Amino acid sequence: MTMDKNKSIATLQAYATGLAAQSLQHKAESKIFAAQGFTKLAEKYAEHSAEEMSWVEQFMDRILDLGGTPLVQPAPEMPVFTDPVEYIKADLAISQKEVPVLQNLTISLQEDFKTYDILRGYALDEEEDMYWSETQLELIEKIGLQNWLVKQL
């Protein structure tokens, strides 16, 4: 089976565009949470923003390796939340919907070993982020919102 470079490029470009928007959203949330005094939560999302831009760079590098040109496309509008719990719930809902799609798409590109490896790494990272969000919501349920918020200072 031969690899479909165009499919790899299109997939990488779609994820690069979406991830750039998510990175900016995480950065905005980080700033909001920092302004509210939730330093640990702000640091978590600042790191998450930087991590996602690192994936965008890897996707662009691979597009170039495949002979394509990375496109700067308009990012989809992303909602901004001031309530940390509502943001975690919204982020989790996206992850729960998108992680299985990403996993299946990654498998469909397995004949392109390098793209497969990059997307596999990204999928594993997204799965880890999903579990983190689930854990935070479980903690809130177990220890209460106020206690959880104190842990985020």
Side-chain angles (χ1 to χ4, degrees), residues 7-79:
K7 181 179 178 183
S8 293
I9 291 169
T11 300
L12 291 164
Q13 183 60 57
Y15 276 99
T17 299
L19 256 175
Q22 284 182 329
S23 176
L24 288 172
Q25 181 188 34
H26 290 321
K27 181 62 88 175
E29 295 298 338
S30 171
K31 297 290 186 186
I32 290 167
F33 299 149
Q36 294 174 345
F38 300 121
T39 307
K40 289 182 182 173
L41 201 56
E43 289 171 0
K44 166 70 178 168
Y45 283 107
E47 289 170 9
H48 199 49
S49 173
E51 182 179 87
E52 289 193 339
M53 283 311 293
S54 169
W55 286 113
V56 170
E57 289 180 24
Q58 288 182 58
F59 297 163
M60 288 191 295
D61 287 342
R62 182 61 181 152
I63 289 168
L64 290 167
D65 289 345
L66 292 169
T69 302
L71 304 174
V72 178
Q73 297 175 312
E77 185 174 336
M78 306 292 280

